[in-house]
Amino acid sequence: MLPQIFVIGATGRTGQLVVDEALKRGHPVTALVRKPTSTLPQHDNLTITTGDPCRALDVETALRSLKPSNPVVIISTLGQTRTSGNPWAAATSPPRFMDASARAVLAACQAVRDSVTVQKIVLMSLFGAGDSFAQLNFLMRFIMRHSNMAQTLEDQNLVDQTIRKNGNVPFVLVRPAMLTNGEVAPVKVHGTQGKGAGFMPSVSASSVARFMLDATATKDFDNKAVVVSN
Ligand SMILES: NC(=O)c1ccc[n+]([C@@H]2O[C@H](COP(=O)([O-])OP(=O)(O)OC[C@H]3O[C@@H](n4cnc5c(N)ncnc54)[C@H](OP(=O)(O)O)[C@@H]3O)[C@@H](O)[C@H]2O)c1
């Protein structure tokens, strides 16, 4: 039985592609969004529900609204936002909100465990998080430390720790290289640290979306972080 896919961050660049890919594969999909949105498609298999992904009760309520018969995989593509793509542009998301969401999701999974089977949580992290930082080139290490991307890195590092400490739900931490708007292309997996990923690797958001859906269907990456590029 195909699991239901519960998407957090569905209105974002990669989140929308995750929703599209999940629907294409025939999954029932539920997206938890902050406010009503027209960025997601109208589709018989897509339910859009509103709530704050950092509030455990909102996540719990949304999970309880799913079909109890089907297992659930949660995919999170939340991202820290800035006023522009410039690494020094001002942050527009609260510090550590992604970690707050990871904690809320884990608390909600615990709360619903008697009635909802959450098979796995697949999270979008980034190349540079946790023990992959040392494999970034010197330029990216400098930018990540000294620009406003430091807020993203700090938050992703906290998510990494929070998810690993959870002993109940299997997880996959996907660490993409720099995102592009390119077409879907084959993905190279560079292990947890990203050794051999090259000087300035990149990956299309559409390839990441596909990889995240692939990760729902295999145990190959369970309880691991993996750096991915094209
Ligand atoms: N850019 C890169 O090159 C790159 C490389 C590797 C990994 N990554 C990682 O990939 C992930 C996704 O990136 P993306 O570009 O696809 O994301 P994005 O387009 O910036 O989307 C961000 C998502 O997070 C939500 N969000 C932002 N602030 C929020 C808040 N305070 N509370 C609740 N939700 C909030 C947004 O919801 P609303 O629509 O409601 O605002 C949106 O759904 C990020 O975690 C990023 O660190 C990025």
Side-chain angles (χ1 to χ4, degrees):
M1 179 191 295
L2 273 180
Q4 303 174 83
I5 304 291
F6 182 78
V7 188
I8 295 173
T11 49
R13 168 161 62 151
T14 315
Q16 291 179 46
L17 297 165
V18 164
V19 169
D20 290 346
E21 182 69 21
L23 291 172
K24 216 185 291 169
R25 294 183 188 202
H27 293 275
V29 181
T30 297
L32 176 65
V33 300
R34 287 199 282 180
K35 43 187 189 286
T37 176
S38 56
T39 56
L40 294 171
Q42 288 195 331
H43 193 289
D44 288 349
N45 252 358
L46 174 64
T47 306
I48 300 172
T49 181
T50 50
D52 180 351
C54 301
R55 253 190 107 223
L57 191 57
D58 287 9
V59 182
E60 180 185 333
T61 304
L63 286 174
R64 286 196 193 283
S65 72
L66 304 185
K67 270 196 228 122
S69 51
N70 275 35
V72 178
V73 174
I74 299 175
I75 298 185
S76 174
T77 54
L78 288 179
Q80 284 275 343
T81 51
R82 296 188 300 279
T83 51
S84 79
N86 184 320
W88 275 270
T92 49
S93 299
R96 305 176 171 202
F97 91 89
M98 291 192 292
D99 187 48
S101 175
R103 289 168 190 273
V105 168
L106 291 172
C109 289
Q110 271 297 99
V112 303
R113 69 188 184 286
D114 291 340
S115 53
V116 182
T117 306
V118 178
Q119 274 184 342
K120 191 182 308 200
I121 306 176
V122 181
L123 295 110
M124 187 155 175
S125 178
L126 87 167
F127 184 20
D131 59 358
S132 66
F133 187 78
Q135 294 301 319
L136 293 176
N137 70 51
F138 65 94
L139 195 61
M140 286 307 296
R141 287 202 302 272
F142 179 86
I143 292 172
M144 289 270 194
R145 278 201 185 111
H146 299 289
S147 73
N148 285 332
M149 285 184 74
Q151 179 166 316
T152 299
L153 183 64
E154 186 211 19
D155 203 359
Q156 291 284 19
N157 282 340
L158 290 170
V159 170
D160 199 294
Q161 290 164 24
T162 296
I163 288 295
R164 285 171 195 278
K165 267 189 269 164
N166 127 69
N168 299 311
V169 189
F171 65 86
V172 183
L173 286 158
V174 180
R175 295 174 170 173
M178 191 168 58
L179 290 182
T180 71
N181 292 325
E183 297 292 310
V184 177
V187 163
K188 294 179 200 142
V189 179
H190 303 283
T192 196
Q193 295 178 6
K195 282 185 182 158
F199 185 76
M200 196 55 106
S202 64
V203 61
S204 63
S206 51
S207 307
V208 176
R210 199 174 61 171
F211 183 83
M212 293 183 93
L213 262 303
D214 289 347
T216 68
T218 172
K219 292 192 170 167
D220 288 0
F221 308 114
D222 280 10
N223 301 323
K224 289 181 187 153
V226 283
V227 173
V228 296
S229 73
N230 284 136

